[in-house]
Amino acid sequence: MSLTLIPITVTMRKTANPHDQLMQISKKLMKQLNISDSKNISIEIGKTSIIMNIQPIDIPANEIILPENVMSNFRLPVQNYRFLASFQPDSQTLKLGPVVGLLTNFYLKENDEPNFRSVHKFCEELHHVISGNGGFFYVFSYENFLTKGYYFQEEKWISVEPPLPDVIYNRIHSRILEKKISFQEFRQDLELLMIPLFNDRFLSKWEVYDQIHNESPLKKAIPETKIFSTENLIELAQKYETLFIKPIHGSQGKNIIKLIRVNENRFTYRASLTGCHEQPETYYSLEDIYKHLKPILQNRIYIVQQGIPFITKDFRTMDFRVLCHKKHPLMWDITSIVARIGADQEFVSNLARGGTLIRPLDALRTCFDAKQGKKVLSEIKDLALKIAASISSQTHGMFGELGIDIGVDIDGKPWLIEVNSKPSKSFEENQEKIRPSAKAIVRFCTTLVFDLNLEGEVG
């Protein structure tokens, strides 16, 4: 629905009565919110509602005064707040928020201040955007859901018994952890509490390929891919000069093998295996390649994929990371796009393996003229948005953020490389200020909480 949110200030007043349920509200604010002269309404913060008596008074516009004990009942630290507000006349409910929880796994330092690992700085940015726009943000682990979380105040993270959040942003670092029975039980609790969670989970490379391969408009934008086996390796090796063998649950360019056909019966390979040194260039038969790789793959599920001759910069690998965010439940938007240039001697472009970032048009102009470069960039963006829409509409679970990696061949055609449901926050641009991705996340959370389509930018 179309709804205007009103930024308000909530201030505290001390009271000797522990059962004080009186809300004092600006007369002008009552009029703005279309609150009638009823004696009481329900106030909802997060997933908690409390019925309050109303007292209209002459105070600055957009201000509400609550007794301290009520804020404690909402499980919020006793302090002044800035919130976004909307009033639902049918239920006589004043909704204040949003209350956003970020879910991750982390450890505590010796002084008990948490370290949220690769999303630590991003959590600070989310706090600043949410507190600036209106709302409350905290970080928690699923083991301590509703018993212990951390909110940011005076440049440090402070523990709190947190409120029931309106929405949860999933930034768990571990695929293994997401598969635990205890985590599945936590997910069931969220369903009972009707708390939406995004990004739902890690995506597997095979899941993404299988889905997009079945959609005819996108089918031609993904390299031919099969589950790794002797038969599939032989079949694709006879069709293509280069193959990539990738773990279906991999990230950061780790544990990828590049297989190159030297002549009709001889192959060589390179690997980005963890703890593996550069291999000397040795030539193998395909049967020997399979025998050699099988123990390296350690019985994990891999895919074998057609290698595309992508454009390069100074003979170094190049691809494009497109960061997409949901604007509202039916529309995706591109928040940022960068070109990633692989380190010397690396066949993957990931920054975790020494890659660097440059502007996408600058990268494209090293291979195409200005006009074609702009055309290719437009096609990259169009493909990314179509892939994001496909993933979110066809895949189980809710996704609000996707990192989509795209390569471009020598003819200027974009190809999907990979889709990341937990895109890295360690290597984005503009790290000296709040990144657009933080604002986009807050925008999506606000849209979910207030069930509206926001026309202007949050933050």
Side-chain angles (χ1 to χ4, degrees), residues 102 104-107 115-125 171-174 202 252 422-428 431 435:
L102 184 142
T104 191
N105 50 309
F106 56 91
Y107 56 89
N115 185 310
F116 306 132
R117 302 166 64 182
S118 63
V119 295
H120 192 89
K121 187 176 185 303
F122 193 67
C123 287
E124 292 183 16
E125 294 177 42
R171 288 298 310 200
I172 280 182
H173 301 281
S174 167
F202 285 98
Q252 297 185 332
K422 307 282 184 73
S424 171
K425 298 301 177 186
S426 298
F427 302 104
E428 284 187 59
Q431 295 220 37
R435 287 164 279 188

Side-chain angles (χ1 to χ4, degrees), residues 44-311:
E44 182 179 307
I45 303 178
K47 290 293 183 179
T48 302
S49 296
I50 298 175
I51 296 176
M52 303 283 296
N53 299 319
I54 300 177
Q55 182 186 37
I57 58 174
D58 289 316
I59 54 176
N62 296 9
E63 184 175 347
I64 289 175
I65 302 174
L66 294 177
E68 289 183 350
N69 62 285
V70 168
M71 197 54 67
S72 298
N73 291 338
F74 281 117
R75 298 162 65 100
L76 284 167
V78 177
Q79 60 185 35
N80 294 338
Y81 287 91
R82 180 179 172 87
F83 284 120
L84 298 175
S86 70
F87 183 67
Q88 301 157 13
D90 292 345
S91 60
Q92 288 288 291
T93 298
L94 176 62
K95 173 65 181 174
L96 305 181
V99 176
V100 179
L102 184 142
L103 167 67
T104 191
N105 50 309
F106 56 91
Y107 56 89
L108 296 175
K109 294 181 179 179
E110 291 182 3
N111 61 359
D112 285 337
E113 186 163 352
N115 185 310
F116 306 132
R117 302 166 64 182
S118 63
V119 295
H120 192 89
K121 187 176 185 303
F122 193 67
C123 287
E124 292 183 16
E125 294 177 42
L126 289 172
H127 157 79
H128 289 304
V129 177
I130 291 173
S131 60
N133 292 337
F136 181 74
F137 173 76
Y138 69 92
V139 184
F140 71 100
S141 64
Y142 80 91
E143 300 96 333
N144 294 318
F145 180 51
L146 300 184
T147 61
K148 192 173 188 179
Y150 292 87
Y151 72 104
F152 198 63
Q153 188 178 66
E154 296 180 353
E155 301 304 312
K156 62 181 180 179
W157 291 94
I158 300 171
S159 64
V160 65
E161 188 175 301
L164 274 167
D166 288 303
V167 59
I168 295 172
Y169 173 33
N170 179 9
R171 288 298 310 200
I172 280 182
H173 301 281
S174 167
R175 287 175 169 82
I176 295 173
L177 194 154
E178 282 190 344
K179 293 179 180 178
K180 285 188 175 181
I181 293 176
S182 56
F183 183 76
Q184 299 307 316
E185 291 172 346
F186 161 74
R187 293 292 307 275
Q188 292 172 7
D189 291 341
L190 294 186
E191 291 179 13
L192 292 173
L193 293 166
M194 293 187 294
I195 299 174
L197 176 142
F198 77 98
N199 284 344
D200 186 78
R201 58 195 164 82
F202 285 98
L203 295 171
S204 83
K205 292 179 178 64
W206 178 250
E207 178 183 16
V208 169
Y209 171 80
D210 192 45
Q211 179 181 306
I212 293 177
H213 185 261
N214 290 326
E215 289 200 24
S216 54
L218 296 174
K219 185 176 181 179
K220 294 180 180 179
I222 188 167
E224 185 174 0
T225 304
K226 294 181 180 292
I227 293 292
F228 180 80
S229 68
T230 309
E231 296 78 11
N232 290 337
L233 178 65
I234 292 171
E235 179 188 343
L236 294 189
Q238 290 172 343
K239 293 173 69 174
Y240 306 111
E241 291 186 1
T242 303
L243 296 178
F244 286 95
I245 300 168
K246 307 175 182 179
I248 66 168
H249 296 298
S251 61
Q252 297 185 332
K254 296 177 182 176
N255 302 324
I256 296 175
I257 296 162
K258 182 178 181 180
L259 183 66
I260 303 167
R261 186 170 67 208
V262 180
N263 56 44
E264 186 175 349
N265 297 310
R266 283 286 178 262
F267 298 82
T268 186
Y269 76 91
R270 297 175 60 198
S272 63
L273 301 175
T274 303
C276 190
H277 299 292
E278 183 69 26
Q279 301 85 11
E281 190 159 288
T282 307
Y283 303 113
Y284 304 90
S285 69
L286 203 54
E287 292 75 14
D288 288 339
I289 283 278
Y290 183 83
K291 291 177 184 177
H292 198 65
L293 293 182
K294 192 63 178 171
I296 296 176
L297 305 187
Q298 299 177 345
N299 293 320
R300 295 174 182 161
I301 301 175
Y302 276 66
I303 57 172
V304 55
Q305 188 173 70
Q306 168 193 2
I308 306 292
F310 292 142
I311 57 174

Side-chain angles (χ1 to χ4, degrees), residues 319-339:
D319 63 23
F320 300 83
R321 162 60 63 90
V322 187
L323 190 58
C324 299
H325 289 89
K326 252 186 184 173
K327 204 171 184 179
H328 58 73
L330 297 177
M331 182 182 291
W332 284 84
D333 209 359
I334 291 175
T335 305
S336 69
I337 175 170
V338 294

Side-chain angles (χ1 to χ4, degrees), residues 309-319 341 363 366-367 408-410:
F310 292 142
I311 57 174
T312 61
K313 183 179 186 299
D314 301 327
F315 303 103
R316 293 189 293 165
T317 302
M318 177 165 66
D319 63 23
I341 311 300
T366 64
C367 303
V408 176
D409 68 21
I410 56 177

Side-chain angles (χ1 to χ4, degrees), residues 437-456:
S437 59
K439 296 180 181 181
I441 289 293
V442 175
R443 179 188 186 124
F444 182 58
C445 290
T446 305
T447 300
L448 288 177
V449 171
F450 289 96
D451 188 25
L452 76 161
N453 296 337
L454 294 174
E455 297 299 330

